[in-house]
Amino acid sequence: MEILKDTRIDFLRYRRWWIGFSCVVMTLGVLGIFFHGRLNLGVEFTGGTQTRVRFAAAPDVERLRADLKAEGLAANLQSFGDATERSVLIRVPARA
């Protein structure tokens, strides 16, 4: 069984075009970072703690936010997974 019959593909024929295209895309990426201001770095690069918490009943995310704020934590909370999991992802940045 032969899937491809003619496998003589001239990849180098358009190499200059693809190199130019790659340079344009990289330049746009660098300019986008420069004009946007900064990268949105995750907890892996900025430090801090990320925790996934499961609850027995559906959690009230707004109440959790208020409770963490009352404790002095600038936490980022979001529902995690589907509704049956009842999980919340909590990210707390490192304190300086």
Side-chain angles (χ1 to χ4, degrees), residues 72-90:
L73 297 172
N76 180 5
L77 277 79
Q78 71 182 61
S79 297
F80 188 78
D82 58 4
T84 60
E85 274 190 63
R86 300 176 305 274
S87 295
V88 175
L89 185 65
I90 303 172

Side-chain angles (χ1 to χ4, degrees), residues 11-71:
F11 288 105
L12 295 179
R13 181 176 183 186
Y14 299 106
R15 71 183 175 277
R16 289 191 178 105
W17 190 89
W18 286 112
I19 290 171
F21 179 75
S22 295
C23 289
V24 167
V25 169
M26 286 188 291
T27 302
L28 289 174
V30 170
L31 289 174
I33 292 170
F34 179 72
F35 287 113
H36 186 264
R38 66 177 183 89
L39 293 174
N40 186 11
L41 300 175
V43 72
E44 297 86 3
F45 297 103
T46 58
T49 305
Q50 178 174 315
T51 305
R52 179 178 161 202
V53 182
R54 284 188 174 181
F55 293 88
D60 183 9
V61 177
E62 292 303 320
R63 181 174 173 220
L64 289 171
R65 274 193 191 105
D67 290 344
L68 290 172
K69 189 174 184 179
E71 292 295 323

